[in-house]
Amino acid sequence: MGGGNEDSLHPSTDRALAQQVLDGDRDAFTALIRQYQNLVASVAYRMGIRRESVEDVVSEVFMKVYTRLHQYDGQHALSSWIYRVATNHVLDHLRARKRRPSIALDDVAEPADTRVDVSQESELTERDQLVRRAMQELPDEYQRVLALKHYEELSVEAIASTLDLPEGTVKVRLMRGRQRLRKILEARHPEYFGAAELAGAR
Amino acid sequence: MSADCRPYRRALESLAWDDLPGGAERSRLEAHLAGCTACQQALAVERSITASLEAVGRVQVSVSVESRVLAALPADAPRPARPLRKWQIGVLVLVAAGGLLGAAADSGDLALAFLQTAVVSSRFLPSEVLETGRSVLDALPAVVQAAAVVGRAADAVLRGLALLIPPAAVVLGFVAVLAVLTFVAVRRERRTAPITRGNR
């Protein structure tokens, strides 16, 4: 998962790190942030957090990680658990922004001195950005599975484990999510995604 | 896409999302695709969506928020609490009660059984509780002797009481005291909430 895959091989290290933080070791928490902040930032950006807001969102995620770490069970990789905290927070954030469009002003207010470094963003075509934005219109449950499959490149089995869902549910959501995504894109941007419509009646 | 194409729709999506293993279904779809422009175009659209998602997935973002997050934690941060769960409190109360009962009945076997239960259940308990438990175990011999003395005294008192109150009432009273203790412990657990967010 975004450079975090190897962590799942060391669940005991994850547990030890979590325990150190729970015991009040600030250096351990610093190490934890360093290890996972780019994973969280990448997840946030891909799911639709604006570049200027990425640092805020990542900081908020780690505050949540700190206060909720006692809920980490040590069974899954810490990266999966943090991923889950991060996606929940990002989805909440996006929902709040949708409800209150004025909040976008906050985003604009932040000057360009942001230390967020986005690599390969320039390689995103307009079409890619449209797909990224269309993903945000999907219901949360579809966004989650599609993000894990295509952004994090996880197998159905790994997605099921990360989200604590049966594999059958994951498969159904992947399929329905894909169909909804295509319909949104066809309707909004037929110039890019309308070939099926143009090709003939259904 | 005509009505003839419908049976292929799902397989076509799977193919575009790289989920269609080789086999009879895939062979049938490929045979259909060879002669159907509409499905070829639909496949191209599906594939372009997959490609876009993968491109978004390749974007890596680097940030450095550790100093900011640490500064947002309260200076003398009460460390993230690992609150006792209700069942853990229940186990503690039961074990303590059992130990007392054993001592009161002056029964070494019963006391031992409960101590063993305590050792087994300690695997699930947080470290602070374990440390307390360990110091208790260190002081065990003295505690057992003292408990036996207390037990004999309690026994005498109970025998005296038993003449006045029916034994069932004694048991009920004991259970009521346990219930009150558990209730108080659970209330205290709720009050020790984890730290609040400090970065807003």
Side-chain angles (χ1 to χ4, degrees):
Chain A
M1 191 180 290
N5 270 341
E6 66 274 21
D7 300 318
S8 57
L9 298 176
H10 305 291
S12 59
T13 322
D14 283 355
R15 264 201 301 276
L17 182 61
Q19 190 56 53
Q20 280 174 301
V21 177
L22 285 170
D23 288 342
D25 182 343
R26 288 196 162 220
D27 291 341
F29 190 49
T30 309
L32 183 149
I33 297 174
R34 289 209 178 114
Q35 193 171 349
Y36 295 110
Q37 58 188 354
N38 292 345
L39 166 72
V40 174
S42 302
V43 166
Y45 177 84
R46 292 171 197 153
M47 292 183 75
I49 297 295
R50 297 157 60 117
R51 189 188 172 119
E52 317 82 68
S53 303
V54 165
E55 268 199 322
D56 283 350
V57 169
V58 174
S59 302
E60 287 159 12
V61 166
F62 281 103
M63 295 300 289
K64 277 194 176 163
V65 164
Y66 187 75
T67 53
R68 295 183 185 176
L69 197 56
H70 62 274
Q71 294 168 359
Y72 170 59
D73 61 4
Q75 304 295 313
H76 298 83
L78 189 55
S79 59
S80 305
W81 185 78
I82 291 177
Y83 179 90
R84 220 151 96 162
V85 175
T87 46
N88 286 342
H89 184 75
V90 167
L91 289 170
D92 285 349
H93 186 95
L94 293 173
R95 213 175 298 124
R97 199 173 70 186
K98 249 182 255 173
R99 264 201 308 272
R100 293 178 299 152
S102 63
I103 209 163
L105 290 175
D106 293 348
D107 295 348
V108 176
E110 212 161 337
D113 72 2
T114 173
R115 287 154 297 167
V116 177
D117 175 28
V118 183
S119 77
Q120 284 166 310
E121 186 189 33
S122 56
E123 287 174 24
L124 291 186
T125 62
E126 192 181 342
R127 184 192 289 253
D128 299 338
Q129 292 286 13
L130 293 176
V131 173
R132 174 172 170 254
R133 247 169 272 153
M135 277 278 275
Q136 293 167 47
E137 294 184 39
L138 292 176
D140 288 358
E141 66 264 31
Y142 297 148
Q143 278 187 59
R144 281 179 218 273
V145 291
L146 287 175
L148 281 168
K149 170 139 179 78
H150 293 287
Y151 295 166
E152 310 305 328
E153 297 181 327
L154 293 193
S155 65
V156 169
E157 191 189 353
I159 297 171
S161 154
T162 302
L163 298 179
D164 255 338
L165 290 171
E167 286 185 29
T169 309
V170 171
K171 282 186 193 159
V172 169
R173 286 187 188 175
L174 276 174
M175 195 184 69
R176 295 201 182 135
R178 291 162 186 185
Q179 288 168 350
R180 297 267 288 254
L181 183 63
R182 191 195 64 242
K183 280 184 185 148
I184 291 170
L185 286 164
E186 271 177 358
R188 299 273 152 78
H189 311 286
E191 72 280 18
Y192 283 126
F193 303 100
E197 295 288 351
L198 296 175
R202 298 249 161 150
Chain B
M1 185 173 293
S2 69
D4 294 344
C5 303
R6 273 173 203 271
Y8 300 103
R9 183 70 216 184
R10 184 167 295 182
L12 187 140
E13 283 167 7
S14 299
L15 183 66
W17 297 74
D18 277 335
D19 264 352
L20 189 63
E25 194 183 10
R26 184 168 180 144
S27 311
R28 273 198 301 278
L29 173 66
E30 281 168 351
H32 170 79
L33 269 172
C36 178
T37 336
C39 280
Q40 286 169 17
Q41 284 176 332
L43 181 63
V45 168
E46 294 283 359
R47 282 195 163 141
S48 79
I49 298 175
T50 310
S52 286
L53 286 173
E54 282 167 359
V56 174
R58 279 193 295 273
V59 175
Q60 298 287 338
V61 183
S62 314
V63 290
S64 183
V65 297
E66 60 265 30
S67 50
R68 186 176 156 178
V69 173
L70 286 172
L73 300 179
D76 55 343
R79 61 198 206 202
R82 182 201 286 258
L84 291 186
R85 306 209 166 97
K86 277 183 200 168
W87 67 266
Q88 292 177 327
I89 295 170
V91 167
L92 279 180
V93 171
L94 277 180
V95 167
L100 279 177
L101 263 181
D106 200 10
S107 158
D109 287 348
L110 192 56
L112 191 63
F114 272 98
L115 281 172
Q116 282 166 345
T117 315
V119 170
V120 172
S121 56
S122 66
R123 286 176 45 225
F124 307 106
L125 295 177
S127 51
E128 315 89 75
V129 178
L130 275 184
E131 274 159 32
T132 318
R134 258 181 228 119
S135 43
V136 170
L137 281 179
D138 288 342
L140 196 61
V143 170
V144 167
Q145 280 185 353
V149 172
V150 173
R152 274 191 285 276
D155 192 39
V157 172
L158 283 175
R159 272 171 214 275
L161 276 178
L163 296 175
L164 301 171
I165 314 168
V170 176
V171 173
L172 279 179
F174 188 71
V175 169
V177 170
L178 274 188
V180 169
L181 282 177
T182 311
F183 179 73
V184 170
V186 170
R187 287 285 297 268
R188 283 195 53 193
E189 176 205 350
R190 287 216 187 108
R191 270 203 297 277
T192 42
I195 62 162
T196 50
R197 204 143 97 190
N199 63 335
R200 291 254 170 197

